[in-house]
Amino acid sequence: MKKQVAVSVLALSLGLFPLQPMQAAWDTPTLSAISNGLDAFWGGILQRLGISYRYPVVYSHQNVEITPCGPSLLAHYCASSNTIHLNMVQIDKLVERVGDSAGFFAIAHEYGHSVQKHLGILDQNLPIVVLELQADCLAGAFFAASEELGILESGDLREATMTAMMTGDYDYEHTNHHGTPEQRGRAFLSGFNDPKSCFE
Ligand SMILES: [Zn+2]
């Protein structure tokens, strides 16, 4: 994904034409650009629903650290502290294998959980798999907005779908089951093709 994501999302919300994007490297400025973009995107949507969005604080950890919600193995959202925790060693590995959108997908997915918290969905005692697939779908909705802004690069959609699938599992019996690779890929694409489908 391209670097001016935050600027572009802000430009869009002001009705301005987005800036011409540049090729992004996967680095700290890119990480903060994407989280600013996610803040602006979800902030705008929640505002229209009369909800003020408390932006999650994003922590990038060097490998495994203990967060308020346990060890940072890959990426997680912690609802009690409204924080997102990224294990940069693991995410860098994913990015190396798949491409930069693997990282963008991971962050966008965790933002999905923060949106669920703001909408009260996390309080509904839903099975984890339902929450996880909805977070994939919400990540897809953000990618759709990025596509509209012209800041997706060719391959981004494929990379993100691949990442969703790679982080799926077949541990149906496990309480932490996140959905099968097929379900996760489908949920992401469903959000990309029709953001409203995330709430159906
Ligand atoms: Zn999740």
Side-chain angles (χ1 to χ4, degrees):
M1 201 182 286
K2 300 178 184 181
K3 205 153 206 163
Q4 279 86 346
V5 58
V7 181
S8 302
V9 172
L10 291 174
L12 180 80
S13 65
L14 296 170
L16 305 171
F17 195 75
L19 298 177
Q20 277 306 308
M22 308 260 295
Q23 172 77 38
W26 175 247
D27 53 15
T28 310
T30 307
L31 188 63
S32 46
I34 189 90
S35 45
N36 290 340
L38 281 154
D39 287 342
F41 175 66
W42 288 117
I45 289 176
L46 291 175
Q47 195 178 26
R48 268 174 259 144
L49 299 172
I51 299 167
S52 85
Y53 188 31
R54 260 193 329 121
Y55 301 150
V57 180
V58 180
Y59 290 98
S60 3
H61 300 289
Q62 285 317 310
N63 226 335
V64 182
E65 285 177 38
I66 301 303
T67 81
C69 291
S72 56
L73 298 176
L74 177 61
H76 67 253
Y77 171 69
C78 190
S80 60
S81 48
N82 192 37
T83 50
I84 288 172
H85 300 272
L86 308 171
N87 177 326
M88 294 312 284
V89 171
Q90 296 305 324
I91 291 185
D92 286 351
K93 273 189 204 161
L94 257 185
V95 167
E96 231 165 80
R97 280 175 70 187
V98 181
D100 61 355
S101 277
F104 298 133
F105 168 80
I107 301 165
H109 171 98
E110 300 311 331
Y111 263 81
H113 289 309
S114 82
V115 170
Q116 290 171 330
K117 176 189 161 80
H118 282 74
L119 293 173
I121 295 169
L122 291 188
D123 302 325
Q124 293 172 11
N125 275 326
L126 295 167
I128 286 188
V129 62
V130 171
L131 296 173
E132 293 305 330
L133 293 176
Q134 188 182 49
D136 289 338
C137 190
L138 296 173
F142 176 71
F143 271 70
S146 306
E147 165 87 333
E148 259 169 54
L149 290 169
I151 53 173
L152 280 195
E153 295 167 333
S154 73
D156 278 343
L157 190 62
R158 186 181 45 82
E159 290 169 15
T161 311
M162 220 153 85
T163 311
M165 295 184 73
M166 283 165 66
T167 46
D169 65 80
Y170 293 101
D171 299 335
Y172 302 108
E173 303 304 318
H174 200 286
T175 48
N176 201 31
H177 174 51
H178 274 45
T180 64
E182 294 77 14
Q183 284 176 317
R184 294 201 65 173
R186 223 182 306 126
F188 171 75
L189 286 173
S190 161
F192 182 82
N193 292 318
D194 177 16
K196 285 195 214 84
S197 70
C198 301
F199 297 103
E200 281 162 3

